[in-house]
Amino acid sequence: YRLVVKPDNTVLVEIDEEKIYEGSLKEDWEMLAAKEISDPDDKKPSDWVDDSMMDDPEDKKPAEWVEEKRMADTDAKKPDDWDDEEDGEWEAPTKDNPEYKGDWYVKRISNPGYKGFWE
């Protein structure tokens, strides 16, 4: 295939030396952005909302939600040969908490006050 772009912004597309397309880049394809002059006096309104999503105000963390990822092993016993003076105060090892459900995040919903991106 071959793409030939000419100085006058016309283009020719060939596949196996057979012309597939010939036309103007400017008129046939939307390559150039529309020319628009921004208004220097234009200001974002004070009530403009920039966020398309927001935290759901009705969503609450369940009371039974467990935050601790690890917990002390209640089945662990202090070893018989443990010496507090030499080894320090004994602490029970920790284990994975089976009731841990991960970090809790509030549910996100579409923001009804969102008006779009301010340019």
Side-chain angles (χ1 to χ4, degrees):
Y1 62 91
R2 183 186 340 194
L3 173 70
V4 180
V5 180
K6 299 177 185 171
D8 63 350
N9 283 331
T10 58
V11 66
L12 170 67
V13 179
E14 296 176 341
I15 297 178
D16 294 330
E17 297 184 10
E18 180 182 333
K19 181 170 74 172
I20 302 298
Y21 169 80
E22 185 173 17
S24 170
L25 287 175
K26 214 175 206 182
E27 295 169 12
D28 297 344
W29 297 353
E30 293 183 22
M31 293 185 69
L32 301 174
K35 293 184 179 181
E36 189 175 302
I37 300 171
S38 64
D39 184 358
D41 297 328
D42 198 12
K43 304 273 187 270
K44 186 183 342 183
S46 61
D47 65 340
W48 194 268
V49 178
D50 288 320
D51 299 321
S52 64
M53 300 294 284
M54 64 182 261
D55 293 345
D56 186 353
E58 297 175 10
D59 193 23
K60 304 286 183 233
K61 180 166 56 170
E64 69 276 357
W65 195 270
V66 176
E67 294 269 340
E68 295 79 30
K69 187 174 187 175
R70 309 237 342 131
M71 59 186 273
D73 187 357
T74 55
D75 297 333
K77 303 286 186 235
K78 182 177 178 179
D80 295 333
D81 61 344
W82 189 270
D83 182 6
D84 286 339
E85 284 184 20
E86 188 177 312
D87 300 323
E89 187 178 337
W90 184 81
E91 293 179 10
T94 58
K95 64 179 183 177
D96 289 337
N97 189 345
E99 295 182 17
Y100 176 69
K101 299 176 185 172
D103 294 330
W104 185 83
Y105 298 101
V106 68
K107 183 174 136 187
R108 303 278 290 166
I109 59 172
S110 294
N111 191 340
Y114 181 65
K115 298 176 185 172
F117 178 73
W118 179 265
E119 294 184 35

